[in-house]
Amino acid sequence: MKYVPRLVLFLAIPALLIFLPWWTLVAAPTQGTGSLFWLGSALFALAFCCLPASMYLGHGPAQSDAASIVGDTLLGVMWVMFSWSVFGNVARLGLAVAGVDDPARSRIVAAGVLAAAAALVVWGVIEARRVPRVRTVEVPIAGLGPALDGLRLVVVTDTHFAALDRLRWSERVVDVVNAQRPDIACHAGDLADGSVVKRRAQVDPLGKVEAELGRFYITGNHEYFGDAQGWIDHMSSLGWQPLHNQHVTVRRGDDHLVIAGIDDPTGVGLTGHGPDLPAALAGADPSAPVVLLAHQPKQITDAAAAGVALQISGHTHGGQIWPFHYLVRLEQPVVAGLSRHGDTQLYTSRGTGFWGPQLRVFAPSEITVLVLRSR
């Protein structure tokens, strides 16, 4: 009986995502009769059956790559159709006020929603699968020594290597990262979905990233849905230094900077894991500014209390598929970009890859170059 509420929720979400588009695109314009009504209803019924089944087979114990591709794609498409059905039905009220009667009103809305959804899905797939654009941001850091002024810290995050084979994409991302001439390279978590054995081929090109002062990696929440320790060990074998609640000090000339990293909060249930900022900063020179890698923006509360100069996060994907960012904002203090929290700055990347649906709508991916400046 304890699984009943979960099952209800697991079915209620697909039902909500599918019912409104069905009513908007099928039931209302056909007025519930005719062959188009029955054909459209059958397609939406099939989608309702396929979505929870494929999501369970893809992301549950079976970990079927084929099922996850089907389920994730269907989830993204239905979210776009649901969102624009909401907007379409708002427009329906305007048409009603303008005196447009049914069924013409419903057919105008259906045509508009279908056209918008189709265009956004195509565009979203292209945006998700492209090599991310480079975004350069200058960040003033109090106490940063002159020898470190202009230090280039390149951030990739949320690569989410998964069922879709993106080996060539991974290689091209590395080429772009190296072209930025990073002094420091960082991966801020959610490296891959799945085991090291299944995903290592896509991850291994990261071993070719070149950064004079170091390459650093932290865990995101998705590592803890799989084999977090395995990914920590694998990134170490590729020459990246995992910052598992620890720090390193980088130096140039007489000046130095602390680079610290903490685990994602999801790791609390795994022995030896979970964020521990005091441990990460233990022994650090109190006169040196601290740059902290913390996967989730909401970890900024502890970072600000500890006097961290800059926190670098990912996790949000910038919402990934608009208008999902409004829901992300309910959980996280920031969705994307540079923000200030007391004396601490937070940079939240929109992410380099994508999770689940291979769609990005009004939330482009990025490879970030943070240029640190003395002040």
Side-chain angles (χ1 to χ4, degrees), residues 28 86 102 113 221 259 266 276-277 318:
V86 172
D102 266 336
V113 169
N221 56 309
I259 307 292
T266 314
D276 189 340
L277 186 54

Side-chain angles (χ1 to χ4, degrees), residues 65 161-163 192-203 231:
D65 282 354
F161 294 111
D193 290 281
S195 67
V196 174
V197 172
K198 292 180 73 173
R199 311 300 182 213
R200 64 180 299 166
Q202 298 180 65
V203 172
W231 284 117

Side-chain angles (χ1 to χ4, degrees), residues 61-125:
Q63 293 289 298
S64 166
D65 282 354
S68 70
I69 292 172
V70 172
D72 292 344
T73 302
L74 187 54
L75 177 64
V77 170
M78 293 313 304
W79 171 254
V80 172
M81 293 178 68
F82 172 82
S83 300
W84 287 86
S85 292
V86 172
F87 303 141
N89 281 289
V90 172
R92 178 193 303 276
L93 296 177
L95 291 173
V97 171
V100 180
D101 295 325
D102 266 336
R105 180 170 68 240
S106 294
R107 290 171 181 171
I108 291 171
V109 169
V113 169
L114 187 60
L120 288 171
V121 166
V122 171
W123 178 58
V125 170

Side-chain angles (χ1 to χ4, degrees), residues 129 131 167-177 367:
R129 295 181 67 87
V131 175
L167 173 59
R168 178 56 184 147
W169 180 88
S170 179
E171 293 170 341
R172 293 172 67 191
V173 165
V174 169
D175 290 342
V176 173
V177 169
I367 293 168

Side-chain angles (χ1 to χ4, degrees), residues 243-319:
L243 295 178
H244 178 38
N245 293 322
Q246 62 192 103
H247 75 271
V248 298
T249 301
V250 297
R251 292 178 171 82
R252 179 172 282 168
D254 295 328
D255 298 320
H256 53 289
L257 174 71
V258 172
I259 307 292
I262 54 176
D263 295 347
D264 187 81
T266 314
V268 168
L270 183 65
T271 302
H273 289 259
D276 189 340
L277 186 54
L281 298 179
D285 184 345
S287 68
V290 176
V291 173
L292 175 69
L293 303 182
H295 182 65
Q296 298 195 39
K298 66 183 180 182
Q299 294 174 278
I300 189 63
T301 303
D302 292 337
V308 166
L310 171 66
Q311 176 178 309
I312 299 170
S313 299
H315 186 64
T316 67
H317 300 201

